[in-house]
Amino acid sequence: MLKLKDGYNVAVVGATGAVGSRMTAILEERKFPVAKLVPLASARSVGKTVTFRGKPVPVQELRDDSFQDIDFALFSAGATVSKKFAPIAARAGAVVIDNSSAFRMEKNVPLVVPEVNPHAVGDDPGIISNPNCSTIQMVLALKPIHDKYRIKRVVVSTYQSVSGTGQKAIEELRDQSHGVLAGQPVASKVYPHQIAFNCIPHIDEFLESGYTKEEMKMVNETRKIMEDDSIQVSPTAVRVPVFFAHSESVNVETEKAILAEDVKKLLSSAPGVKVVDAPDLKQYPLAIDAAHKDAVLVGRIRNDISKERAVNFWVVGDNLRKGAALNAVQIAELLVQRMKS
Ligand code: A2P
């Protein structure tokens, strides 16, 4: 059971990875009260260190006994690792904040975006799930719209950066880009096709329905976070040759009459969102502007010319920060804050 303390022992599982390294950095940036940081990864990483508050901290191998005296265990080492070790960490008394898809749709596991459904964390959470990156940035924009206009349907296409797949995918895009420009043949190890100078409409596994698991995460997680199973979501998830930040084209159909100019005002005061919408000045959300930043950018807000009670917009967020590591740290902050109040 989590207790209010001056400092907390925090384990980061997957500390050497794309998300895990940001979890450590964000704990430091936001001055989370860390008494002891325990970076965990596979046996391959023993001997490596992560830098925390200017000092090297040795990476330890993830083991069954890694969670003694741990208050918070932030997981980002994939669903297989989470399935095995998150229950072990929770049994050892840690609050687990899991970035994988392992537990997200389990009934008793809260799926939390602190700006959207902070109440969902519950009083004694063992495992809390961090939603899918594409879903987090979309629901930040959808929630205020749903509260005011009641969303009936969302049609979304994503343009997802390679960092969402992890460090190896970042290297694959870099290597392939050099290779293509040098006129050399390229090897695809992480993705089923060349990602450099290409778009791949395939993220995660295909299901019998013809949709991918990534697309269905957006359907199911949106409904769970927004606590409304009546919201229809029609998704297409695409991997694009961008290093950091996912972009999304979103069409929203509402029950009540809705106008783009009102949505612009509404989203201007939405927590976690920054409206960047001055097309005359060529200002709209860009992946290169959202990368390495906390805010989710929304722009190109316009009325749907084909339908009444519908608007279109463009949402861009850093998938490793708000889409993963930042959201996880914010959940930990929320739990600490709740113990104080
Ligand atoms: P390691 O670097 O030792 O392989 P990314 O998402 O960037 O690919 O990173 C994945 C993270 O998950 C890395 O920190 C990686 O550690 C860790 N990881 C992967 N498999 C395991 C495992 N079986 N046990 C512990 N950590 C793992």
Side-chain angles (χ1 to χ4, degrees):
M1 181 84 181
L2 190 64
K3 289 201 187 76
L4 191 61
K5 296 182 188 173
D6 290 336
Y8 300 90
N9 296 338
V10 181
V12 175
V13 180
T16 52
V19 172
S21 58
R22 276 155 186 86
M23 285 171 162
T24 311
I26 290 171
L27 287 166
E28 180 174 336
E29 269 168 46
R30 294 175 71 92
K31 300 189 169 48
F32 188 81
V34 177
K36 184 173 69 168
L37 180 81
V38 181
L40 300 166
S42 76
R44 295 180 290 272
S45 294
V46 172
K48 290 187 187 167
T49 57
V50 303
T51 305
F52 186 65
R53 295 176 183 155
K55 295 205 179 93
V57 185
V59 176
Q60 299 176 27
E61 182 184 355
L62 172 65
R63 296 180 357 180
D64 288 2
D65 61 358
S66 297
F67 300 98
Q68 303 311 316
D69 297 325
I70 294 296
D71 299 301
F72 288 101
L74 311 186
F75 274 70
S76 194
T80 311
V81 171
S82 290
K83 275 187 191 141
K84 177 164 179 212
F85 287 96
I88 293 173
R91 273 198 300 276
V95 171
V96 172
I97 302 173
D98 180 33
N99 192 51
S100 83
S101 59
F103 308 102
R104 286 183 192 145
M105 293 314 296
E106 284 194 11
K107 211 167 179 298
N108 298 327
V109 175
L111 184 65
V112 178
V113 179
E115 296 88 340
V116 176
N117 62 338
H119 53 271
V121 286
D123 289 329
D124 187 16
I127 300 175
I128 301 172
S129 279
N130 216 28
N132 166 262
C133 44
S134 304
T135 309
I136 293 179
Q137 66 182 62
M138 183 171 74
V139 295
L140 279 190
L142 292 185
K143 173 68 171 156
I145 297 175
H146 189 50
D147 287 347
K148 188 156 180 204
Y149 302 99
R150 307 293 311 165
I151 293 175
K152 281 170 37 182
R153 179 169 184 249
V154 177
V155 181
V156 53
S157 297
T158 69
Y159 304 64
Q160 297 183 222
S161 70
V162 297
S163 56
T165 316
Q167 202 57 45
K168 286 197 178 74
I170 296 174
E171 282 149 31
E172 180 150 307
L173 173 58
R174 194 174 290 137
D175 292 347
Q176 286 186 353
S177 301
H178 284 305
V180 171
L181 291 173
Q184 291 162 352
V186 298
S188 299
K189 292 188 197 126
V190 175
Y191 296 115
H193 304 280
Q194 177 186 315
I195 183 64
F197 306 97
N198 199 12
C199 299
I200 307 175
H202 172 187
I203 301 183
D204 209 333
E205 291 165 36
F206 277 101
L207 301 165
E208 255 180 48
S209 61
Y211 286 81
T212 61
K213 281 190 180 170
E214 181 79 358
E215 289 161 349
M216 293 316 293
K217 286 174 201 166
M218 295 190 78
V219 176
N220 298 324
E221 294 180 24
T222 298
R223 290 177 177 161
K224 181 165 175 177
I225 298 162
M226 307 263 285
E227 296 168 353
D228 189 342
D229 284 346
S230 73
I231 299 174
Q232 302 296 317
V233 182
S234 183
T236 305
V238 182
R239 189 71 67 189
V240 297
V242 166
F243 285 111
F244 301 106
H246 292 352
S247 304
E248 296 174 348
S249 165
V250 184
N251 176 269
V252 178
E253 202 182 321
T254 54
E255 259 173 48
K256 297 188 188 152
I258 186 168
L259 284 175
E261 57 192 76
D262 297 332
V263 172
K264 217 186 236 191
K265 276 189 212 126
L266 184 66
L267 293 183
S268 298
S269 57
V273 169
K274 184 174 172 208
V275 171
V276 180
D277 201 2
D280 300 354
L281 303 170
K282 303 186 181 69
Q283 288 174 4
Y284 26 72
L286 294 175
I288 54 173
D289 293 334
H292 316 300
K293 308 252 171 58
D294 290 349
V296 166
L297 311 180
V298 183
R300 299 292 322 278
I301 304 169
R302 60 211 193 274
N303 296 317
D304 182 338
I305 50 167
S306 71
K307 204 169 194 11
E308 289 209 354
R309 301 180 187 215
V311 289
N312 285 306
F313 50 84
W314 181 247
V315 185
V316 186
D318 186 319
N319 51 295
L320 299 179
R321 289 183 72 91
K322 184 58 192 167
L326 172 63
N327 198 72
V329 174
Q330 286 175 314
I331 292 172
E333 289 173 348
L334 179 66
L335 289 167
V336 171
Q337 202 49 47
R338 277 173 39 138
M339 286 189 292
K340 287 184 182 164
S341 53

